[in-house]
Amino acid sequence: KLPDLVPLARSHTAPVLDTDWSPFNDTVVASAGEDGKAMIWKVESSIFEGWGAEGWEPQDLDPVARIDVSPRRVGHVLFHPTANNVLATSTGDHVVKLWDLAATEAPKSVLGGHNDAIQSLAFNPSGTLLATTCRDRKIRIFDPRAGSDPVRVGEGHGGIKVRARVRASYTRVA
């Protein structure tokens, strides 16, 4: 059985919506929250020394960086797969912001063109392209080096609810 007490990361002032571990450093994790912030945490294995032993007290984590991403929620965080210290965030403002973690005062790039909430984002393995899905059922592909607009926009699949409605309509017609 695991101990009841564990170290916690408590600096967000609203629910955390997403996390991502750095592909370059096993001790670095980013978090995104409804408070409009992204935070970077360093989780050293030393904070778990003695875990489970009688009298052990957890030490809560403090973020090593706080990024004021948006006045609205931050739905996703994603580390770049090949560029160290590059983080993507999606916001309730329907944009993706790319950050250099060495200078977080302002985003290095803002990717737009979304008409609704961003539901997911993913880099290709080389990190040259970023794909997003949106509640408007469109898939957008960005080349962040080419500008802030998508280089390609395509229709996403209809989903189970749409297929069920189509199937029901077809059954009534037949």
Side-chain angles (χ1 to χ4, degrees), residues 16-86:
V16 171
L17 301 175
D18 193 24
T19 58
D20 191 37
W21 287 97
S22 169
F24 295 94
N25 186 334
D26 289 344
T27 65
V28 174
V29 65
S31 61
E34 282 189 5
D35 57 3
K37 310 238 183 308
M39 298 200 191
I40 308 300
W41 309 85
K42 194 155 178 88
V43 184
E44 300 284 352
S45 60
S46 61
I47 70 166
F48 295 99
E49 286 176 12
W51 189 29
E54 181 135 350
W56 181 81
E57 290 290 326
Q59 296 176 341
D60 286 348
L61 299 168
D62 289 320
V64 295
R66 295 171 204 249
I67 306 169
D68 291 321
V69 177
S70 170
R72 302 185 70 188
R73 72 179 180 84
V74 179
H76 302 91
V77 286
L78 181 65
F79 279 101
H80 193 281
T82 60
N84 194 10
N85 288 327
V86 174

Side-chain angles (χ1 to χ4, degrees), residues 98-126:
L98 298 175
W99 302 88
D100 176 356
L101 296 182
T104 59
E105 302 80 34
K108 295 298 176 191
S109 182
V110 178
L111 309 177
H114 300 92
N115 300 319
D116 208 334
I118 298 167
Q119 295 180 313
S120 68
L121 50 127
F123 284 104
N124 68 341
S126 63

Side-chain angles (χ1 to χ4, degrees), residues 72-73 75-76 90-96 111-122 130-142 150 152-159 162:
R72 302 185 70 188
R73 72 179 180 84
H76 302 91
S90 71
T91 72
D93 303 327
H94 312 314
V95 296
V96 173
L111 309 177
H114 300 92
N115 300 319
D116 208 334
I118 298 167
Q119 295 180 313
S120 68
L121 50 127
L130 177 74
T132 64
T133 61
C134 184
R135 191 175 289 154
D136 67 4
R137 297 187 179 163
K138 302 240 188 263
I139 298 170
R140 291 170 177 81
I141 307 293
F142 293 88
R152 186 87 176 193
V153 178
E155 294 295 324
H157 67 80
V162 172

